[in-house]
Amino acid sequence: QDPMDFEWSYWIEWGRERILWLLVGHLLVSQVSRLFVEKYKPWCLMVYGMAACWLLLGIKGFAVILFHAVISFAVAQFQLSLLTWVCSLILLSTLRIPAVEEAKRKWYDTENEYYLLFFTVSVRCLFCTSFSLEYCWHGPAQKSSHSFLWMLAYVFYYPMFHNGPLMNFDEFSKQMRRQEAFCLKTNLSILIVGIIRIFFWWCLAELMIHLMYIHALYSSTQPLEAASYWALG
């Protein structure tokens, strides 16, 4: 196995320790709220996402993400797309300010915990940008569906919390509002297909790490210098 792939081993470690179990918890909360309080399902999942964030990143990490959401929502009130982009870029750039980085590192006992905050805040910034832009683009009649509460439900939706994938707010809102009849057979089939898909891509990634030593190669100059440009290409 190529041991140099930092991100794969990093996420596998986090997944085994906590993230996988938090995703199972999300699934249970989602199904229970769908059965008993479907009207309040987005808010149940929002509270769960906030609790999971607090558990993994601590109160300070949670406060940073909440602060980014508040600032983004406040700037979106001006309904200027350019201003939203400037705000997002400024918030993102704060991740690379040495003094801020050092202060955040002191919140945690290990580098891995700091990097989890770093990755998560980066991805949350994309979600804040998506919500703010769509707030700017929609007319006054649609503003009620773009409340701050909906923004929090979107930003703290746990399955997309740490690593995405990115789903724009309109699509998220549409899926959350959709009323579906509960069918155990259908739900089970969707769950099984989803597990098979995850297992397939997981195996493929593991196979690549065992056969294609990409990270080990680019961290060693000797084989790179010996190869022709065609081989490198």
Side-chain angles (χ1 to χ4, degrees):
Q1 180 182 343
D2 178 4
M4 304 299 288
D5 190 340
F6 163 74
E7 283 203 50
W8 180 252
S9 54
Y10 173 84
W11 288 113
I12 289 295
E13 185 181 335
W14 270 111
R16 284 173 180 160
E17 283 184 6
R18 294 186 184 178
I19 292 174
L20 181 63
W21 306 111
L22 288 171
L23 287 171
V24 171
H26 170 90
L27 181 66
L28 291 173
V29 171
S30 176
Q31 294 306 311
V32 169
S33 58
R34 179 193 238 181
L35 280 171
F36 299 109
V37 285
E38 187 165 7
K39 186 180 176 182
Y40 302 103
K41 181 182 172 182
W43 321 128
C44 293
L45 295 179
M46 178 190 75
V47 170
Y48 180 84
M50 287 178 158
C53 173
W54 194 317
L55 178 68
L56 278 179
L57 301 176
I59 179 64
K60 292 178 180 176
F62 170 77
V64 167
I65 294 170
L66 188 60
F67 175 73
H68 277 219
V70 170
I71 294 296
S72 296
F73 187 78
V75 171
Q77 303 308 301
F78 293 100
Q79 293 186 270
L80 296 170
S81 299
L82 180 62
L83 200 59
T84 289
W85 280 115
V86 170
C87 170
S88 297
L89 290 170
I90 289 171
L91 288 173
L92 202 56
S93 68
T94 60
L95 295 174
R96 303 304 299 172
I97 298 172
V100 176
E101 279 188 278
E102 198 57 39
K104 287 177 182 174
R105 273 191 167 90
K106 289 177 182 176
W107 297 348
Y108 302 107
D109 298 326
T110 65
E111 279 287 288
N112 275 4
E113 290 174 295
Y114 165 72
Y115 279 124
L116 185 65
L117 174 67
F118 185 87
F119 287 134
T120 305
V121 172
S122 302
V123 177
R124 292 306 92 205
C125 202
L126 290 173
F127 280 72
C128 288
T129 306
S130 172
F131 178 91
S132 300
L133 286 173
E134 290 180 36
Y135 186 92
C136 295
W137 296 335
H138 290 321
Q142 295 167 298
K143 287 290 183 280
S144 60
S145 62
H146 288 68
S147 66
F148 183 63
L149 206 59
W150 268 106
M151 184 185 194
L152 292 181
Y154 176 55
V155 169
F156 285 97
Y157 184 69
Y158 194 72
M160 302 185 291
F161 192 67
H162 300 291
N163 248 345
L166 180 63
M167 174 190 282
N168 65 43
F169 175 73
D170 279 0
E171 183 61 30
F172 172 82
S173 175
K174 192 192 302 177
Q175 290 191 27
M176 274 293 182
R177 293 173 192 273
R178 189 183 298 150
Q179 299 280 329
E180 293 179 0
F182 182 82
C183 175
L184 183 62
K185 188 178 178 181
T186 305
N187 282 21
L188 273 176
S189 63
I190 291 170
L191 179 64
I192 290 166
V193 170
I195 290 171
I196 291 169
R197 283 178 61 195
I198 291 169
F199 183 72
F200 171 77
W201 289 114
W202 192 322
C203 289
L204 182 63
E206 284 284 355
L207 191 67
M208 289 171 68
I209 290 169
H210 281 82
L211 296 177
M212 302 167 69
Y213 300 95
I214 300 163
H215 294 80
L217 275 171
Y218 75 58
S219 63
S220 177
T221 56
Q222 192 175 352
L224 294 176
E225 288 171 350
S228 67
Y229 290 127
W230 282 107
L232 289 174

